[in-house]
Amino acid sequence: MQIEARTQAAIIDGKAIAARVRAQAAAAARELAASGVIPGLAVVLVGEDPASQIYVRNKGRRTIEAGMRSFEHKLPARTSQDELLALVRQLNGDPAVHGILVQMPLPKHIDADRIVAALDPDKDVDGLHPLNAGRIVLGKPGLVPCTPQGCVILARHVLGEDLSGLDVVVIGRSILVGKPVALLFQNANCTVTMAHSRTRNLPALCRRADILVAAAGRREMVRGDWIKPGATVIDVGINRIAGADGRSRLVGDVAFEEARQVARAITPVPGGVGPRTIACLLLNTVQAARTIAGRRA
Ligand code: NAD
């Protein structure tokens, strides 16, 4: 396919957008505090995974900065499923805790589905409980997973609030990312096609997209000539590769330099979708605190 010469795409500044969302969450937390409710987020980490430890530390810091309470539960990797279930039940019943996030992945001997199913759905700020997944399918309000929510917010940042009628192609159909992303864009009145590893002629399909979301976890798979000129490209993929200097670096699922010659706007990796995730988590915690306060009233 011939790519027209165009000006380069705008790079979507995920960090700046995340800062705005965190400020919004902090303002909502102040409002709740004035009515006597300080939103509290409990994060549970099982094991010593270094990436997860960094995420948990950042979440705790951002929670406190937003004027909320942060509770961290760090458990050893040998923690049994029953011990973890007991902690989840304790947090479900704790009135100071409005949001519970169990950091994934969990050690292999723990059934993650059972842990998620044990969460109070109103405190499930990761939006993973089957009841919250069902609410997205039904188009009802509920707690929405943070990364998919971030994709819609980034698209609206570029294209405006009304996304009605736009063609969206989502590459990836995982429960954590692809499926909820597709449903959220559908709820925003877009025409959505979900692609996956068995999809035929993926490049041609992608070329139809006004909004292309790449969430396959395949480094730089989406090439410049897969992109419709003027499309908005949201790259969710995070792939670690060895750089020429021997140090590792992160790249997305989209060949960034090629794509930015064709797209209207594109998220970089890192610095695009990632920073939005914690910001959405804070918003979800505020939303959970409101719901739970309403439940008690
Ligand atoms: P996953 O492995 O569970 O799912 C990948 C999906 O991509 C599957 O549905 C599969 O069918 C599809 N796929 C794989 N290869 C394909 C191909 N060649 N063509 C078309 N489709 C293909 O992964 P996931 O948990 O959904 O995560 C996807 C990516 O997003 C990963 O790189 C992950 O690290 C990243 N991620 C980023 C954030 C963030 O905050 N930025 C959050 C979660 C996940």
Side-chain angles (χ1 to χ4, degrees):
M1 182 197 172
Q2 192 75 33
I3 300 174
E4 289 170 42
R6 302 171 43 92
T7 51
Q8 286 192 334
I11 296 174
I12 303 170
D13 186 349
K15 285 186 190 163
I17 300 168
R20 280 212 293 279
V21 175
R22 286 199 305 273
Q24 199 186 325
R30 276 195 299 277
E31 223 172 85
L32 271 168
S35 63
V37 177
I38 300 175
L41 172 64
V43 178
V44 180
L45 174 63
V46 184
E48 319 272 298
D49 180 59
S52 295
Q53 284 187 337
I54 295 170
Y55 284 139
V56 167
R57 204 168 45 236
N58 288 340
K59 282 170 188 162
R61 181 167 59 88
R62 293 296 191 194
T63 305
I64 290 164
E65 278 172 13
M68 307 188 201
R69 286 199 187 112
S70 167
F71 307 94
E72 279 180 20
H73 295 266
K74 292 187 178 163
L75 308 177
R78 61 171 192 281
T79 301
S80 72
Q81 178 157 298
D82 284 347
E83 285 168 325
L84 184 56
L85 280 171
L87 174 59
V88 166
R89 290 187 189 115
Q90 180 201 315
L91 295 172
N92 281 346
D94 185 340
V97 171
H98 304 96
I100 307 168
L101 184 146
V102 180
Q103 184 69 44
M104 301 290 167
L106 287 168
K108 289 204 167 34
H109 65 276
I110 295 178
D111 178 350
D113 289 346
R114 278 203 62 192
I115 302 299
V116 168
L119 292 167
D120 175 344
D122 288 342
K123 294 190 177 187
D124 166 39
V125 283
D126 235 359
L128 296 179
H129 190 283
L131 194 76
N132 286 318
R135 284 173 176 151
I136 301 183
V137 175
L138 297 170
K140 303 274 184 212
L143 289 164
V144 174
C146 296
T147 301
Q149 195 185 138
C151 293
V152 179
I153 291 175
L154 290 171
R156 287 201 161 118
H157 172 79
V158 177
L159 298 162
E161 202 51 31
D162 184 11
L163 303 176
S164 300
L166 294 178
D167 283 319
V168 178
V169 172
V170 181
I171 311 175
R173 58 173 167 182
S174 74
I175 298 293
L176 283 181
V177 188
K179 270 194 188 132
V181 167
L183 287 164
L184 290 175
F185 277 110
Q186 217 172 76
N187 292 347
N189 299 319
C190 297
T191 304
V192 182
T193 309
M194 224 199 276
H196 47 77
S197 53
R198 309 281 177 89
T199 296
R200 289 187 203 149
N201 204 353
L202 186 57
L205 189 72
C206 291
R207 280 194 282 272
R208 295 200 336 229
D210 300 307
I211 301 171
L212 179 60
V213 182
R218 297 277 178 270
R219 56 176 278 198
E220 298 176 327
M221 176 182 89
V222 176
R223 312 308 307 188
D225 64 358
W226 295 26
I227 294 166
K228 174 169 154 179
T232 297
V233 179
I234 297 177
D235 190 355
V236 184
I238 301 176
N239 309 283
R240 191 170 284 282
I241 61 164
D245 57 0
R247 289 163 68 180
S248 72
R249 65 186 180 94
L250 298 180
V251 296
D253 285 359
V254 178
F256 183 80
E257 286 305 327
E258 287 179 23
R260 69 187 288 212
Q261 309 304 324
V262 193
R264 162 182 178 166
I266 183 168
T267 56
V269 176
V273 176
R276 295 255 333 116
T277 299
I278 293 180
C280 282
L281 185 67
L282 300 179
L283 274 188
N284 278 358
T285 305
V286 169
Q287 186 185 328
R290 282 201 196 106
T291 304
I292 290 163
R295 210 164 70 171
R296 286 195 194 117

